[in-house]
Structures are given as C-alpha cells and as structure tokens.
Amino acid sequence: MNPATTALVLIGYQNDQFATNAILRSAIDDASRTDSVLERTLHFVSHVTATPMTVIVPPTELTQRFVSATNANGILWKLRESGALLPGSKGAEPIPELLAYGERLVTIRGKSGFNAFRNTDMERELGTRGIRDVLIAGAITSLCVDSTARTAYELGYNVTMLTDCVLSGTAAEHDLYCGRMFPLYARTVDSRTLLREFQGVAA
C-alpha cells in the first residue's frame, strides 16, 4: 500500500458524536469506547499527515429535504428529531482536533445520510487524486462506516477497515462487523499494525 495512492476517510468525527457533551454519545453502550476510538484515530492521523496520504473528512449534515424523504420510523428521522448533525450547527462541525490540520485535510460536503459517496464529490475526488486504496475509520460501524466502505469496494478500490478506529453501538456489533461482515469485502487491521507497515515501506 502506497501512501501516495491511499486515502483515509474519517467518517462522523463531528462534535455531536465525539465531543464530551455530544448528543449521540448516549447511543454508545460504553462511553469509554468513544474516547478510545478517538484517541487511536488521532494518533493514526498525526502520523499519516506527515506522508503523502490523502485524508478526507465528509461531515454528515441532515438536511430537512433528505430526512423528509425517508421513513419517519427510521434512524435518520430519529437523528433529526434529536437535533443532531443539523446543517450549520456546532454539533455538525468536525471536531477541533481535526480542524487544527486545516487545509491538510480534504473536506467533502453533501453527505446527508449514511453513504459518503452519495450526493458528494467523493468518487471524483478519489479519481482525480489517483487513489487505489481506501482506509475507513469512524462512526457508526453498522451504518455510515459499512455503507461507505461497501460502495468503495464496489467501485473497485482496495478497502481497509481500521478495526480499532471504528465506533460501534455495542461491543457485540463491533465483533460481528469486524469479525464477519467487513472481511467479505475489505481487509481488517488495527491502526498500529498499519502504521508499522507504512514505516516499513518508507524504509
């Protein structure tokens, strides 16, 4: 895997999910897992931003037009009712730890549901940059992470899931997806192992 042709896609690293007072923290059965995933992700980001790797942030903004077109009993509607991820809100902004990287990160707007490819320029951006490998980290494992990763795979990218940098609602969900679902279309590896591999390539 060549960092120059690799993109790290950071899904859901927004204030409403990862801030200490986040609206969506209660959706995780153990809040300490939220903090652990964030810590490991930021450690990974701090290393790969020193390489040619593309780092992409596609923030979710739940527009009224999109949510109104979905089933009123579905999760997107419930998220909208909670007041989370509203366009222009502080909660929908990427977390400060990522904003600190400024233009080193590529922000792709338009994500209003689960899939970071839908209604966005994600596919065009990856193609323009000559990306071959896509790394996925973020929240929530069974929704945005899975939807985005499956699409990347179907588009022909080599997909790698950072298993210690994906946030699931429960530990059982994490084990199911990392152990059974993700291997159907992606490589699964923890962030520290992947960093060691990159260091080996550089050497």
Side-chain angles (χ1 to χ4, degrees), residues 47-72:
H47 283 74
V48 301
T49 48
T51 76
M53 186 181 297
T54 298
V55 182
I56 297 176
V57 177
T60 303
E61 295 179 310
L62 298 177
T63 62
Q64 183 63 57
R65 178 181 178 184
F66 180 85
V67 176
S68 296
T70 64
N71 190 324

PDB file of all heavy atoms in Angstrom, residues 47-72:
ATOM      1  N   HIS A  47       0.263  10.674  12.414  1.00  0.00           N
ATOM      2  CA  HIS A  47       1.378  10.058  11.704  1.00  0.00           C
ATOM      3  C   HIS A  47       1.198  10.132  10.186  1.00  0.00           C
ATOM      4  O   HIS A  47       2.144  10.452   9.466  1.00  0.00           O
ATOM      5  CB  HIS A  47       1.555   8.605  12.137  1.00  0.00           C
ATOM      6  CG  HIS A  47       2.211   8.451  13.472  1.00  0.00           C
ATOM      7  ND1 HIS A  47       1.552   8.726  14.651  1.00  0.00           N
ATOM      8  CD2 HIS A  47       3.473   8.082  13.814  1.00  0.00           C
ATOM      9  CE1 HIS A  47       2.374   8.513  15.676  1.00  0.00           C
ATOM     10  NE2 HIS A  47       3.541   8.123  15.198  1.00  0.00           N
ATOM     11  N   VAL A  48       0.003   9.843   9.694  1.00  0.00           N
ATOM     12  CA  VAL A  48      -0.169   9.781   8.239  1.00  0.00           C
ATOM     13  C   VAL A  48      -0.205  11.158   7.590  1.00  0.00           C
ATOM     14  O   VAL A  48       0.052  11.282   6.388  1.00  0.00           O
ATOM     15  CB  VAL A  48      -1.425   8.981   7.844  1.00  0.00           C
ATOM     16  CG1 VAL A  48      -1.334   7.552   8.374  1.00  0.00           C
ATOM     17  CG2 VAL A  48      -2.695   9.660   8.319  1.00  0.00           C
ATOM     18  N   THR A  49      -0.501  12.199   8.353  1.00  0.00           N
ATOM     19  CA  THR A  49      -0.492  13.536   7.757  1.00  0.00           C
ATOM     20  C   THR A  49       0.929  13.991   7.434  1.00  0.00           C
ATOM     21  O   THR A  49       1.113  14.984   6.727  1.00  0.00           O
ATOM     22  CB  THR A  49      -1.160  14.566   8.689  1.00  0.00           C
ATOM     23  OG1 THR A  49      -0.649  14.431  10.014  1.00  0.00           O
ATOM     24  CG2 THR A  49      -2.669  14.392   8.691  1.00  0.00           C
ATOM     25  N   ALA A  50       1.909  13.266   7.920  1.00  0.00           N
ATOM     26  CA  ALA A  50       3.303  13.566   7.579  1.00  0.00           C
ATOM     27  C   ALA A  50       3.725  12.841   6.301  1.00  0.00           C
ATOM     28  O   ALA A  50       4.866  12.975   5.866  1.00  0.00           O
ATOM     29  CB  ALA A  50       4.217  13.172   8.732  1.00  0.00           C
ATOM     30  N   THR A  51       2.803  12.077   5.710  1.00  0.00           N
ATOM     31  CA  THR A  51       3.055  11.337   4.471  1.00  0.00           C
ATOM     32  C   THR A  51       2.218  11.959   3.356  1.00  0.00           C
ATOM     33  O   THR A  51       1.407  12.859   3.606  1.00  0.00           O
ATOM     34  CB  THR A  51       2.648   9.860   4.637  1.00  0.00           C
ATOM     35  OG1 THR A  51       1.218   9.743   4.581  1.00  0.00           O
ATOM     36  CG2 THR A  51       3.167   9.294   5.953  1.00  0.00           C
ATOM     37  N   PRO A  52       2.354  11.476   2.120  1.00  0.00           N
ATOM     38  CA  PRO A  52       1.533  11.999   1.024  1.00  0.00           C
ATOM     39  C   PRO A  52       0.084  11.518   1.046  1.00  0.00           C
ATOM     40  O   PRO A  52      -0.696  11.859   0.141  1.00  0.00           O
ATOM     41  CB  PRO A  52       2.246  11.472  -0.233  1.00  0.00           C
ATOM     42  CG  PRO A  52       3.579  11.000   0.210  1.00  0.00           C
ATOM     43  CD  PRO A  52       3.422  10.584   1.630  1.00  0.00           C
ATOM     44  N   MET A  53      -0.308  10.737   2.042  1.00  0.00           N
ATOM     45  CA  MET A  53      -1.658  10.189   2.081  1.00  0.00           C
ATOM     46  C   MET A  53      -2.723  11.286   2.062  1.00  0.00           C
ATOM     47  O   MET A  53      -2.584  12.312   2.730  1.00  0.00           O
ATOM     48  CB  MET A  53      -1.848   9.319   3.328  1.00  0.00           C
ATOM     49  CG  MET A  53      -3.198   8.589   3.382  1.00  0.00           C
ATOM     50  SD  MET A  53      -3.397   7.587   4.880  1.00  0.00           S
ATOM     51  CE  MET A  53      -2.066   6.406   4.671  1.00  0.00           C
ATOM     52  N   THR A  54      -3.782  11.068   1.298  1.00  0.00           N
ATOM     53  CA  THR A  54      -4.934  11.968   1.285  1.00  0.00           C
ATOM     54  C   THR A  54      -5.809  11.653   2.492  1.00  0.00           C
ATOM     55  O   THR A  54      -6.119  10.484   2.742  1.00  0.00           O
ATOM     56  CB  THR A  54      -5.747  11.786  -0.003  1.00  0.00           C
ATOM     57  OG1 THR A  54      -4.930  12.134  -1.136  1.00  0.00           O
ATOM     58  CG2 THR A  54      -6.989  12.669   0.003  1.00  0.00           C
ATOM     59  N   VAL A  55      -6.193  12.670   3.236  1.00  0.00           N
ATOM     60  CA  VAL A  55      -7.065  12.485   4.400  1.00  0.00           C
ATOM     61  C   VAL A  55      -8.353  13.255   4.141  1.00  0.00           C
ATOM     62  O   VAL A  55      -8.343  14.474   3.955  1.00  0.00           O
ATOM     63  CB  VAL A  55      -6.392  12.972   5.695  1.00  0.00           C
ATOM     64  CG1 VAL A  55      -7.315  12.719   6.889  1.00  0.00           C
ATOM     65  CG2 VAL A  55      -5.049  12.285   5.894  1.00  0.00           C
ATOM     66  N   ILE A  56      -9.461  12.532   4.110  1.00  0.00           N
ATOM     67  CA  ILE A  56     -10.756  13.103   3.716  1.00  0.00           C
ATOM     68  C   ILE A  56     -11.729  13.105   4.885  1.00  0.00           C
ATOM     69  O   ILE A  56     -11.873  12.111   5.600  1.00  0.00           O
ATOM     70  CB  ILE A  56     -11.363  12.324   2.536  1.00  0.00           C
ATOM     71  CG1 ILE A  56     -10.456  12.456   1.299  1.00  0.00           C
ATOM     72  CG2 ILE A  56     -12.771  12.802   2.228  1.00  0.00           C
ATOM     73  CD1 ILE A  56     -10.909  11.648   0.112  1.00  0.00           C
ATOM     74  N   VAL A  57     -12.407  14.227   5.062  1.00  0.00           N
ATOM     75  CA  VAL A  57     -13.451  14.368   6.075  1.00  0.00           C
ATOM     76  C   VAL A  57     -14.772  14.686   5.364  1.00  0.00           C
ATOM     77  O   VAL A  57     -14.906  15.757   4.771  1.00  0.00           O
ATOM     78  CB  VAL A  57     -13.117  15.499   7.069  1.00  0.00           C
ATOM     79  CG1 VAL A  57     -14.248  15.682   8.069  1.00  0.00           C
ATOM     80  CG2 VAL A  57     -11.803  15.205   7.786  1.00  0.00           C
ATOM     81  N   PRO A  58     -15.754  13.764   5.405  1.00  0.00           N
ATOM     82  CA  PRO A  58     -17.060  14.019   4.802  1.00  0.00           C
ATOM     83  C   PRO A  58     -18.131  14.197   5.884  1.00  0.00           C
ATOM     84  O   PRO A  58     -18.833  13.243   6.252  1.00  0.00           O
ATOM     85  CB  PRO A  58     -17.311  12.749   3.986  1.00  0.00           C
ATOM     86  CG  PRO A  58     -16.634  11.665   4.793  1.00  0.00           C
ATOM     87  CD  PRO A  58     -15.561  12.315   5.638  1.00  0.00           C
ATOM     88  N   PRO A  59     -18.281  15.390   6.458  1.00  0.00           N
ATOM     89  CA  PRO A  59     -19.226  15.566   7.570  1.00  0.00           C
ATOM     90  C   PRO A  59     -20.671  15.302   7.154  1.00  0.00           C
ATOM     91  O   PRO A  59     -21.079  15.618   6.035  1.00  0.00           O
ATOM     92  CB  PRO A  59     -19.022  17.029   7.969  1.00  0.00           C
ATOM     93  CG  PRO A  59     -18.471  17.688   6.748  1.00  0.00           C
ATOM     94  CD  PRO A  59     -17.634  16.649   6.078  1.00  0.00           C
ATOM     95  N   THR A  60     -21.419  14.706   8.066  1.00  0.00           N
ATOM     96  CA  THR A  60     -22.839  14.451   7.839  1.00  0.00           C
ATOM     97  C   THR A  60     -23.647  15.663   8.270  1.00  0.00           C
ATOM     98  O   THR A  60     -23.474  16.171   9.375  1.00  0.00           O
ATOM     99  CB  THR A  60     -23.313  13.235   8.654  1.00  0.00           C
ATOM    100  OG1 THR A  60     -22.519  12.107   8.312  1.00  0.00           O
ATOM    101  CG2 THR A  60     -24.782  12.941   8.378  1.00  0.00           C
ATOM    102  N   GLU A  61     -24.538  16.124   7.389  1.00  0.00           N
ATOM    103  CA  GLU A  61     -25.465  17.206   7.712  1.00  0.00           C
ATOM    104  C   GLU A  61     -26.856  16.767   7.293  1.00  0.00           C
ATOM    105  O   GLU A  61     -27.114  16.566   6.103  1.00  0.00           O
ATOM    106  CB  GLU A  61     -25.061  18.497   6.996  1.00  0.00           C
ATOM    107  CG  GLU A  61     -23.718  19.037   7.473  1.00  0.00           C
ATOM    108  CD  GLU A  61     -23.312  20.305   6.754  1.00  0.00           C
ATOM    109  OE1 GLU A  61     -23.370  20.304   5.505  1.00  0.00           O
ATOM    110  OE2 GLU A  61     -22.950  21.281   7.432  1.00  0.00           O
ATOM    111  N   LEU A  62     -27.727  16.578   8.265  1.00  0.00           N
ATOM    112  CA  LEU A  62     -29.059  16.021   7.997  1.00  0.00           C
ATOM    113  C   LEU A  62     -30.021  17.110   7.522  1.00  0.00           C
ATOM    114  O   LEU A  62     -30.722  17.725   8.316  1.00  0.00           O
ATOM    115  CB  LEU A  62     -29.589  15.331   9.255  1.00  0.00           C
ATOM    116  CG  LEU A  62     -28.755  14.145   9.747  1.00  0.00           C
ATOM    117  CD1 LEU A  62     -29.339  13.584  11.029  1.00  0.00           C
ATOM    118  CD2 LEU A  62     -28.687  13.050   8.679  1.00  0.00           C
ATOM    119  N   THR A  63     -30.055  17.312   6.232  1.00  0.00           N
ATOM    120  CA  THR A  63     -30.932  18.340   5.662  1.00  0.00           C
ATOM    121  C   THR A  63     -32.391  17.908   5.759  1.00  0.00           C
ATOM    122  O   THR A  63     -32.719  16.726   5.683  1.00  0.00           O
ATOM    123  CB  THR A  63     -30.588  18.595   4.194  1.00  0.00           C
ATOM    124  OG1 THR A  63     -30.798  17.388   3.445  1.00  0.00           O
ATOM    125  CG2 THR A  63     -29.133  19.016   4.052  1.00  0.00           C
ATOM    126  N   GLN A  64     -33.270  18.873   5.919  1.00  0.00           N
ATOM    127  CA  GLN A  64     -34.696  18.590   6.033  1.00  0.00           C
ATOM    128  C   GLN A  64     -35.215  17.879   4.795  1.00  0.00           C
ATOM    129  O   GLN A  64     -36.015  16.954   4.874  1.00  0.00           O
ATOM    130  CB  GLN A  64     -35.480  19.889   6.244  1.00  0.00           C
ATOM    131  CG  GLN A  64     -36.979  19.687   6.454  1.00  0.00           C
ATOM    132  CD  GLN A  64     -37.270  18.890   7.725  1.00  0.00           C
ATOM    133  OE1 GLN A  64     -36.862  19.266   8.802  1.00  0.00           O
ATOM    134  NE2 GLN A  64     -37.972  17.774   7.578  1.00  0.00           N
ATOM    135  N   ARG A  65     -34.761  18.298   3.626  1.00  0.00           N
ATOM    136  CA  ARG A  65     -35.217  17.711   2.371  1.00  0.00           C
ATOM    137  C   ARG A  65     -34.914  16.225   2.325  1.00  0.00           C
ATOM    138  O   ARG A  65     -35.748  15.417   1.931  1.00  0.00           O
ATOM    139  CB  ARG A  65     -34.561  18.416   1.191  1.00  0.00           C
ATOM    140  CG  ARG A  65     -34.940  17.837  -0.171  1.00  0.00           C
ATOM    141  CD  ARG A  65     -34.218  18.586  -1.282  1.00  0.00           C
ATOM    142  NE  ARG A  65     -34.534  18.020  -2.579  1.00  0.00           N
ATOM    143  CZ  ARG A  65     -33.995  18.425  -3.717  1.00  0.00           C
ATOM    144  NH1 ARG A  65     -33.115  19.430  -3.703  1.00  0.00           N
ATOM    145  NH2 ARG A  65     -34.314  17.869  -4.857  1.00  0.00           N
ATOM    146  N   PHE A  66     -33.705  15.850   2.770  1.00  0.00           N
ATOM    147  CA  PHE A  66     -33.331  14.443   2.719  1.00  0.00           C
ATOM    148  C   PHE A  66     -34.103  13.631   3.743  1.00  0.00           C
ATOM    149  O   PHE A  66     -34.662  12.586   3.446  1.00  0.00           O
ATOM    150  CB  PHE A  66     -31.832  14.287   2.960  1.00  0.00           C
ATOM    151  CG  PHE A  66     -31.370  12.848   2.924  1.00  0.00           C
ATOM    152  CD1 PHE A  66     -31.056  12.246   1.728  1.00  0.00           C
ATOM    153  CD2 PHE A  66     -31.277  12.097   4.088  1.00  0.00           C
ATOM    154  CE1 PHE A  66     -30.652  10.919   1.684  1.00  0.00           C
ATOM    155  CE2 PHE A  66     -30.872  10.776   4.056  1.00  0.00           C
ATOM    156  CZ  PHE A  66     -30.556  10.194   2.845  1.00  0.00           C
ATOM    157  N   VAL A  67     -34.134  14.105   4.976  1.00  0.00           N
ATOM    158  CA  VAL A  67     -34.779  13.344   6.043  1.00  0.00           C
ATOM    159  C   VAL A  67     -36.268  13.198   5.798  1.00  0.00           C
ATOM    160  O   VAL A  67     -36.871  12.164   6.087  1.00  0.00           O
ATOM    161  CB  VAL A  67     -34.504  13.994   7.413  1.00  0.00           C
ATOM    162  CG1 VAL A  67     -35.246  13.267   8.513  1.00  0.00           C
ATOM    163  CG2 VAL A  67     -33.012  13.979   7.708  1.00  0.00           C
ATOM    164  N   SER A  68     -36.900  14.211   5.244  1.00  0.00           N
ATOM    165  CA  SER A  68     -38.341  14.157   4.986  1.00  0.00           C
ATOM    166  C   SER A  68     -38.685  13.085   3.966  1.00  0.00           C
ATOM    167  O   SER A  68     -39.818  12.595   3.925  1.00  0.00           O
ATOM    168  CB  SER A  68     -38.834  15.517   4.495  1.00  0.00           C
ATOM    169  OG  SER A  68     -38.673  16.501   5.493  1.00  0.00           O
ATOM    170  N   ALA A  69     -37.704  12.728   3.138  1.00  0.00           N
ATOM    171  CA  ALA A  69     -37.946  11.724   2.105  1.00  0.00           C
ATOM    172  C   ALA A  69     -37.731  10.306   2.616  1.00  0.00           C
ATOM    173  O   ALA A  69     -37.943   9.351   1.888  1.00  0.00           O
ATOM    174  CB  ALA A  69     -37.030  11.987   0.910  1.00  0.00           C
ATOM    175  N   THR A  70     -37.330  10.170   3.866  1.00  0.00           N
ATOM    176  CA  THR A  70     -37.077   8.848   4.424  1.00  0.00           C
ATOM    177  C   THR A  70     -38.242   8.424   5.316  1.00  0.00           C
ATOM    178  O   THR A  70     -39.124   9.203   5.648  1.00  0.00           O
ATOM    179  CB  THR A  70     -35.778   8.831   5.253  1.00  0.00           C
ATOM    180  OG1 THR A  70     -35.940   9.697   6.385  1.00  0.00           O
ATOM    181  CG2 THR A  70     -34.602   9.299   4.413  1.00  0.00           C
ATOM    182  N   ASN A  71     -38.214   7.163   5.699  1.00  0.00           N
ATOM    183  CA  ASN A  71     -39.246   6.614   6.568  1.00  0.00           C
ATOM    184  C   ASN A  71     -39.208   7.320   7.926  1.00  0.00           C
ATOM    185  O   ASN A  71     -38.163   7.393   8.565  1.00  0.00           O
ATOM    186  CB  ASN A  71     -38.994   5.110   6.743  1.00  0.00           C
ATOM    187  CG  ASN A  71     -40.138   4.405   7.437  1.00  0.00           C
ATOM    188  OD1 ASN A  71     -40.763   4.953   8.337  1.00  0.00           O
ATOM    189  ND2 ASN A  71     -40.418   3.197   6.996  1.00  0.00           N
ATOM    190  N   ALA A  72     -40.365   7.822   8.348  1.00  0.00           N
ATOM    191  CA  ALA A  72     -40.436   8.563   9.613  1.00  0.00           C
ATOM    192  C   ALA A  72     -40.096   7.680  10.811  1.00  0.00           C
ATOM    193  O   ALA A  72     -39.858   8.190  11.907  1.00  0.00           O
ATOM    194  CB  ALA A  72     -41.830   9.163   9.789  1.00  0.00           C
TER     195      ALA A  72
END
